[in-house]
Amino acid sequence: MKTNQYIIDYYNSYDEDSRLSPKHGTVEFLTTMRYIEKYIKPGSRVLEIGAGTGRYSHALARQGYMVDAVELVPHNIEVFRRHMLPTEHITITQGNALDLSAFPDNRYDITLLLGPLYHLYSKEEKRQALGEAIRVTKQGGIIFAAYVISDGCLLDEGFNRGNINAAEYIKNGLLDPETFAAKSEPKDLFELVRKEDIDDLMSIFPTTRLHYAAADGCALLIREAIDKMDDETFKLYLKYHYATCERKDLTGITSHAIDIFQK
């Protein structure tokens, strides 16, 4: 089975919107939007690569921005289109992050690559996707690239929830027995990385990093506590998270990280 088919089969039966709906799930969305809103300007043109069901695309289109979206999975495109409003200046095209040849160079002010790097397993393919995102972005434009971070996932899904059997992963060669660095395969669906892997990927590109942030911090690890918070406590928690999400001593425990850089 090709990698794309694993992804299509998974997202055909997965409700991505539900992942971002509970309080703990909104942390990632709110954090990412906070950074986007820091850099987006009136008249900015946005491309979202791997748009899923359109959570970010629709949010930005409803703020009046022109958004083009690319998505691999037909089911996600159907959901995306159902969410479209007549007032949105938005397009959705089926496509692959590795080949954006339908889009010209230097077109977009803001480019979002918030899902594809979860599902690319070789350095070459990751760099190809990053290179395409950079190519279509204007000089001076901002690219947002999201990753799944191995240590946050191991802490939460492994040692906390028991959904990952760390001993079995070590036995099967998916975790290094000394460093606990992760190795993923297409059948595992998600590529798990550390910041040093991201730094290595980006080392060949003539870009400037603006922020490297823990998109959800420890929100998944303490999800039950967050979901029980009243609105005022949750507001205070978000304030704490925003204040600390770029601290180098905390970014390693996040499950999702966002790398923000300028062309």
Side-chain angles (χ1 to χ4, degrees), residues 14-15 18 23 28 41 47 85 96 102 104 106 114 132 151 160 183 207 219 223 249:
Y14 181 72
D15 183 0
S18 68
K23 273 195 173 81
E28 177 189 350
K41 296 177 174 62
L47 175 67
L85 298 178
N96 191 311
N106 304 306
L114 301 179
E132 281 288 83
D151 294 288
N160 187 31
K183 178 183 178 182
T207 57
R223 66 183 71 184
D249 55 349

Side-chain angles (χ1 to χ4, degrees), residues 181-252:
K183 178 183 178 182
S184 306
E185 299 174 355
K187 64 181 177 59
D188 303 313
L189 284 173
F190 293 97
E191 168 74 337
L192 307 179
V193 300
R194 285 173 164 167
K195 183 176 180 290
E196 54 262 39
D197 303 315
I198 300 168
D199 292 342
D200 179 56
L201 283 175
M202 294 303 300
S203 64
I204 67 167
F205 295 112
T207 57
T208 301
R209 176 175 282 158
L210 302 173
H211 307 275
Y212 177 84
D216 46 16
C218 59
L220 299 189
L221 191 62
I222 60 169
R223 66 183 71 184
E224 289 85 4
I226 290 176
D227 289 345
K228 291 177 182 177
M229 290 177 181
D230 59 36
D231 290 345
E232 283 302 309
T233 305
F234 183 59
K235 183 178 179 181
L236 185 61
Y237 174 79
L238 283 175
K239 184 177 181 180
Y240 163 79
H241 169 70
Y242 295 151
T244 60
C245 65
E246 292 189 44
R247 286 181 60 110
K248 292 180 180 179
D249 55 349
L250 292 176
T251 53

Side-chain angles (χ1 to χ4, degrees), residues 57-73:
S57 288
H58 290 303
L60 293 169
R62 290 168 192 176
Q63 292 181 25
Y65 298 105
M66 296 180 65
V67 180
D68 294 326
V70 181
E71 171 56 31
L72 175 68
V73 180

Side-chain angles (χ1 to χ4, degrees), residues 21-179:
S21 296
K23 273 195 173 81
H24 75 267
T26 64
V27 174
E28 177 189 350
F29 174 76
L30 292 171
T31 303
T32 304
M33 285 296 294
R34 189 169 185 263
Y35 280 106
I36 293 170
E37 289 166 354
K38 179 181 177 70
Y39 290 102
I40 201 166
K41 296 177 174 62
S44 287
R45 186 152 194 166
V46 180
L47 175 67
E48 183 173 15
I49 307 162
T53 56
R55 183 75 179 271
Y56 292 97
S57 288
H58 290 303
L60 293 169
R62 290 168 192 176
Q63 292 181 25
Y65 298 105
M66 296 180 65
V67 180
D68 294 326
V70 181
E71 171 56 31
L72 175 68
V73 180
H75 170 72
N76 285 346
I77 294 173
E78 291 175 12
V79 177
F80 186 108
R81 286 181 171 146
R82 287 203 300 269
H83 291 168
M84 290 173 69
L85 298 178
T87 54
E88 294 180 3
H89 296 285
I90 195 167
T91 68
I92 176 71
T93 305
Q94 186 172 16
N96 191 311
L98 299 176
D99 179 10
L100 300 177
S101 55
F103 299 91
D105 297 357
N106 304 306
R107 183 169 191 176
Y108 295 96
D109 302 283
I110 300 287
T111 300
L112 308 179
L113 190 69
L114 301 179
L117 294 167
Y118 296 178
H119 305 295
L120 297 174
Y121 302 90
S122 71
K123 182 186 291 188
E124 292 73 24
E125 285 192 330
K126 292 173 193 171
R127 282 181 168 168
Q128 186 174 340
L130 286 162
E132 281 288 83
I134 294 167
R135 177 185 65 78
V136 300
T137 304
K138 293 177 181 177
Q139 195 67 35
I142 312 297
I143 299 100
F144 297 73
Y147 297 86
V148 182
I149 303 302
S150 62
D151 294 288
C153 292
L154 181 59
L155 286 169
D156 180 42
E157 295 293 342
F159 295 115
N160 187 31
R161 301 183 186 285
N163 295 328
I164 292 173
N165 185 320
E168 282 296 313
Y169 270 51
I170 290 171
K171 180 180 177 181
N172 294 330
L174 298 175
L175 281 176
D176 185 286
E178 300 300 325
T179 67

Side-chain angles (χ1 to χ4, degrees), residues 1-12 72 119 121 125 185-189:
M1 184 183 290
K2 294 182 178 179
T3 301
N4 283 358
Q5 194 59 50
Y6 282 110
I7 298 168
I8 290 168
D9 290 346
Y10 175 77
Y11 283 106
N12 276 341
L72 175 68
H119 305 295
Y121 302 90
E125 285 192 330
E185 299 174 355
K187 64 181 177 59
D188 303 313
L189 284 173

